[in-house]
Amino acid sequence: MTRVLLTLMLLAAFVSAARAAEPQLRVEAQLLPDSTVSLGATLTLQLDVLTDTWFTAAPVLADLPLPGTRVAAPTGSPVHLTLERDGQTFFGLRYLYRITPRQVQRFEIPSLTVSAQVGQATETLHTRSAPLAFSVLPAPDDGASLVADSLQLRQILQPPAAAYRVGDSLERRVELQTRGTPMELLPPTRFSALEGTRQYPQPVRLEALSDGRGHGEGALRVDSIVYQFERPGRFDLPPLELRWREAGSGALHVEHLPGLTLEVAALPTSATRLAWRERLGLWLERHALGGLLLIAGLALGWQWLAGLAAAALQWLRSRFMLLRRRYRESEHQAWSQLLRQLHQQPPRLDGLYRWLQRQQLRSTELQRSLRLLYGNAPDTTRGIRELRRLLPKLRRQRGEPRSRRPALRKLNP
């Protein structure tokens, strides 16, 4: 009996030691900064995946379906952890989910399944996080258009304050940089219209900011407008104001951008134009008679040149009309028309008669082909095929030089 009890105790100790030797996988979930937020704020679901050995591959995280919110899944490299739990050292990776609620209600975050391959494990380990919940309260009626952890607002004028003239342009650019807010929630800047200017809004630039490890920390929005001055005078760029609420404390902050008063001068008379006018007037005073003769000569020369140009244009027009008429009556134009008509459906033959009139040739084979078209037993298909084959041959023969009979008879032998 004593031996049996001893054997059972040894088996229990062996099983306990075997279980203790098995690697562990834990998941700890936490909502930051709190489980109660106001509408427009962003929460962080912090997920720590821990093991008492080491990870041989990156853990596989589950998706977080949460209707009524905008969820940004973890990106970039996770934060490496070394923690003490129950007197035992665990090594882990920290992942962050960014949750931005879009409606007032209570949200339930279900348990998330995490799978990981760790050292000394014979198979993939699985574990689940604890379910969490958070409540979204209505936003206070304080006029805040943004909720963020921190915010920076600045404006840039290009070119900087300088002496402006009519026709010059001024760009007013506003840069809004936030932390803890998605770029889709950044409000646009409302620019006021200025009387006496033309406004050209520029494309908006949105950029997600990271901490250098791929984790989203905030966003940047750049709005700009270009004013072009159309009249001289005084212009007042109004100041800008942005009301926002801090996510952690709920404190209301108001950011101000100063306005600007500009003086726009009228365009001065061109100095070059004045110089030329003064020189011309002085020259006319000293050389009045010569100036009049020069002006008269220029006028007469202009009339002579105009008449010569008109005569040249008339001659060119007559030559063009003559060449055009000759081309229309040429054999080449008639041949081109004939080829086009023979390949039409149905074929036409009026171009053939025009070409024969210009060629003035007679051919027995041509007459035979025409009989196939207009004889007692016409065969249109065969006749057209014979014409297509015969006409290029006749045209080549027409273009070849003919041997002439000698004018003198042969001498007697």
Side-chain angles (χ1 to χ4, degrees):
M1 188 65 178
T2 304
R3 291 180 179 181
V4 175
L5 292 176
L6 181 61
T7 303
L8 292 176
M9 292 176 62
L10 289 175
L11 288 175
F14 179 77
V15 172
S16 178
R19 290 181 178 178
E22 283 293 327
Q24 302 181 49
L25 182 65
R26 295 185 180 183
V27 176
E28 297 179 355
Q30 184 181 3
L31 280 174
L32 300 175
D34 198 358
S35 59
T36 302
V37 295
S38 60
L39 187 64
T42 299
L43 295 91
T44 300
L45 173 60
Q46 179 178 290
L47 208 65
D48 296 341
V49 184
L50 307 174
T51 181
D52 56 350
T53 58
W54 62 90
F55 292 99
T56 60
V60 179
L61 306 180
D63 295 333
L64 178 56
L66 209 56
T69 67
R70 177 191 178 275
V71 179
T75 57
S77 302
V79 179
H80 292 261
L81 305 173
T82 302
L83 304 176
E84 293 287 338
R85 293 292 184 267
D86 301 329
Q88 189 177 0
T89 302
F90 282 84
F91 307 95
L93 300 173
R94 175 168 291 172
Y95 297 93
L96 303 177
Y97 291 83
R98 304 287 185 179
I99 305 174
T100 304
R102 296 179 176 176
Q103 57 191 28
V104 177
Q105 69 175 63
R106 177 179 173 84
F107 291 93
E108 302 287 343
I109 300 178
S111 298
L112 300 179
T113 301
V114 178
S115 303
Q117 297 179 9
V118 299
Q120 299 180 358
T122 58
E123 60 183 4
T124 302
L125 302 183
H126 306 276
T127 186
R128 297 178 65 87
S129 65
L132 299 174
F134 65 93
S135 300
V136 180
L137 303 178
D141 188 13
D142 50 12
S145 58
L146 178 64
V147 179
D149 296 335
S150 61
L151 181 144
Q152 294 181 2
L153 184 68
R154 68 169 184 163
Q155 74 173 345
I156 301 174
L157 300 177
Q158 290 291 342
Y164 296 98
R165 296 178 179 179
V166 174
D168 290 346
S169 297
L170 170 66
E171 180 185 7
R172 189 180 193 183
R173 185 165 69 246
V174 176
E175 296 183 357
L176 173 61
Q177 181 176 339
T178 63
R179 182 179 179 184
T181 305
M183 62 181 181
E184 295 87 354
L185 299 182
L186 298 185
T189 303
R190 306 295 182 184
F191 294 105
S192 301
L194 286 182
E195 185 180 356
T197 66
R198 289 186 180 181
Q199 293 89 36
Y200 300 96
Q202 303 301 301
V204 179
R205 181 163 66 94
L206 289 172
E207 181 180 349
L209 304 179
S210 65
D211 59 356
R213 299 172 58 91
H215 303 132
E217 275 202 340
L220 172 68
R221 180 187 178 101
V222 180
D223 296 280
S224 60
I225 188 172
V226 175
Y227 297 99
Q228 185 179 23
F229 303 107
E230 295 184 319
R231 62 167 178 82
R234 178 176 177 176
F235 294 87
D236 294 320
L237 289 178
L240 299 176
E241 179 183 286
L242 176 63
R243 303 171 70 88
W244 66 283
R245 191 168 60 257
E246 190 174 351
S249 62
L252 178 66
H253 300 272
V254 181
E255 303 292 333
H256 296 277
L257 293 177
L260 183 65
T261 300
L262 304 174
E263 290 291 341
V264 179
L267 285 175
T269 306
S270 174
T272 305
R273 190 181 305 170
L274 286 177
W276 277 105
R277 288 179 180 177
E278 292 175 358
R279 293 177 185 178
L280 182 59
L282 182 61
W283 189 88
L284 289 177
E285 290 179 0
R286 294 180 180 179
H287 309 86
L289 181 59
L292 292 176
L293 292 177
L294 178 61
I295 294 174
L298 291 175
L300 292 176
W302 175 259
Q303 291 183 357
W304 180 79
L305 289 176
L308 182 62
L313 290 176
Q314 183 65 26
W315 181 81
L316 289 175
R317 182 176 180 274
S318 62
R319 293 296 300 173
F320 174 78
M321 297 300 295
L322 177 62
L323 293 175
R324 184 180 180 183
R325 185 173 63 255
R326 287 180 179 178
Y327 173 76
R328 290 182 174 180
E329 297 173 357
S330 66
E331 183 270 344
H332 178 76
Q333 199 276 341
W335 175 256
S336 300
Q337 182 184 8
L338 169 60
L339 291 182
R340 289 195 303 270
Q341 291 181 352
L342 285 179
H343 288 83
Q344 291 178 359
Q345 293 297 333
R348 294 174 54 187
L349 296 178
D350 52 333
L352 173 63
Y353 300 122
R354 288 186 59 197
W355 182 73
L356 291 176
Q357 184 181 5
R358 285 161 177 74
Q359 288 289 89
Q360 296 182 358
L361 57 82
R362 295 180 180 178
S363 171
T364 305
E365 293 180 335
L366 179 61
Q367 293 179 0
R368 188 182 305 114
S369 299
L370 293 176
R371 289 194 190 98
L372 290 174
L373 296 173
Y374 302 105
N376 295 330
D379 189 352
T380 304
T381 303
R382 182 182 174 188
I384 293 298
R385 185 169 61 250
E386 288 294 323
L387 284 178
R388 292 175 181 173
R389 180 190 61 82
L390 177 63
L391 289 177
K393 176 181 176 181
L394 295 177
R395 191 172 188 242
R396 288 194 299 269
Q397 292 177 357
R398 182 67 178 175
E400 295 176 356
R402 297 181 179 179
S403 60
R404 297 183 178 181
R405 297 180 58 184
L408 299 178
R409 296 182 179 180
K410 295 183 178 180
L411 297 176
N412 293 327

